[in-house]
Every structure is written in C-alpha cells, then in structure tokens.
Amino acid sequence: MTRLTPADLEAARDRLVPDVVGDGLKVLFCGINPGLTTAATGHHFARPGNRFWPVLHLSGFTPRLMKPSEQGELPSYGLGITNVVARATARADELSAEEYREGGRLLSAKVERLRPGWLAVVGVTAYRAAFEDRKAAIGPQKRTIGDTRVWVLPNPSGLNAHWTAATMAEEFGQLRVAAAEG
C-alpha cells in the first residue's frame, strides 16, 4: 500500500466509500463508518492494525488472507461490506447520535433491498446506537430486517484490545456456521 501522508488522510475526511455488494449475499458485514485510511484508499478496513481481514480468514469465511485491495472478490464468497454511517472520520466518536440513528434507518432500507441472509454489524456500540437497542450484546439478535437475521460481532479495530484475533475468529466462525446452515 502506498504510504499516506497526514494531508492525504485529512483530504479523505467526509469522503464516501462504495459498498462491496452483490446478489445472493450470505453475510453483509457492516462497519461503523469508514476511517480516513479506508476513505483515502477506497478499501474497507484498510487501516494497518485493523483485524477484519485476518479474522475473516481465521474464521473460515475466506480461503486465504485477503488484502483490503482485494475486497472486490468478497461477493464471490457470498460476502459484502457496508457501513452504518457513510461518511469518513478519523474516529467513530466524531459521529452524532442522530447520524447513527439515520444510519440505522438507511442500513435497514439497504438490507431490505439486498436481502442478505445475515447482517453482521461489527461493533456492539454502533449497533446499539443505530438501532436504539441499549441491551444488545455480541451474538445473534432477536431483530430481523425483513427476512435478514442480524448478528453483532466484535469491532476488529486494533483499539478493541480485549478481543484478540483468535477470540474474534471464534465469534465470526459461529456466524459462518449459522450462515452455512441457511
């Protein structure tokens, strides 16, 4: 990956990053919002230290460790990526409660249109804010969006240090098994 300068990152603020989607998705992964590295590169979960790609592989969703720049291959595995809030920020705490709620409404409409088997929100705090569900915990949720079931996964950010790649892979793996079962 090309080395990004602070100016490159700042220029990416508020930029939108296209979703990675296709027909017949088994799982649509949903991040909180794009970080500046993601927005600067156009590749989801691109910040060094983010464990999404290694955990996706460790959990068995992909047959090999993929790079963020290979995100276009995900639909061939029945996988996609979107975000709760579309605009890029340096930190998730730059988002307002209303942005999360509006993001939840827009995400619901997107899920109703795409109809993936599962919506997997990576980050329990983002899920709680977007869907106004203060008691949500990691794991499958009672909520559905149309026929789509919902699973909350740990946030793969390197800042989420109490989850290791191995423990995250276990949780992602449980979702993979559930998605394979239909």
Side-chain angles (χ1 to χ4, degrees):
M1 180 167 92
T2 306
R3 186 132 171 83
L4 298 170
T5 66
D8 294 330
L9 294 174
E10 192 53 40
R13 184 175 296 278
D14 297 325
R15 210 177 270 170
L16 305 180
V17 178
D19 292 340
V20 176
V21 295
D23 293 330
L25 296 177
K26 293 176 194 167
V27 179
L28 177 60
F29 291 96
C30 180
I32 299 168
N33 76 308
L36 299 182
T37 302
T38 287
T41 64
H43 306 304
H44 292 271
F45 301 103
R47 184 181 175 125
N50 190 297
R51 298 167 292 175
F52 177 80
W53 296 100
V55 167
L56 204 62
H57 173 60
L58 287 170
S59 64
F61 271 111
T62 59
R64 64 178 176 80
L65 176 58
M66 296 174 66
K67 298 174 187 166
S69 61
E70 298 173 307
Q71 68 186 15
E73 294 178 30
L74 287 179
S76 71
Y77 300 117
L79 309 174
I81 304 176
T82 190
N83 288 290
V84 173
V85 176
R87 77 177 181 96
T89 61
R91 296 178 320 278
D93 66 5
E94 295 176 42
L95 302 173
S96 69
E98 180 51 37
E99 282 180 287
Y100 276 111
R101 284 190 298 273
E102 178 64 13
R105 287 189 287 274
L106 295 172
L107 178 59
S108 292
K110 185 179 299 181
V111 167
E112 286 177 11
R113 189 178 75 253
L114 293 172
R115 300 175 57 184
W118 287 90
L119 171 66
V121 179
V122 293
V124 69
T125 303
Y127 177 83
R128 288 173 180 162
F131 293 100
E132 299 180 281
D133 183 351
R134 291 184 191 187
K135 296 184 180 184
I138 298 295
Q141 306 300 302
K142 291 180 183 174
R143 171 188 308 273
T144 59
I145 302 172
D147 292 333
T148 299
R149 292 161 289 179
V150 179
W151 197 296
V152 175
L153 294 167
N155 185 336
S157 166
L159 299 175
N160 190 8
H162 65 276
W163 281 88
T164 66
T167 57
M168 277 191 279
E170 288 175 24
E171 191 65 37
F172 275 59
Q174 290 177 38
L175 169 59
R176 182 185 53 75
V177 169
E181 292 172 351

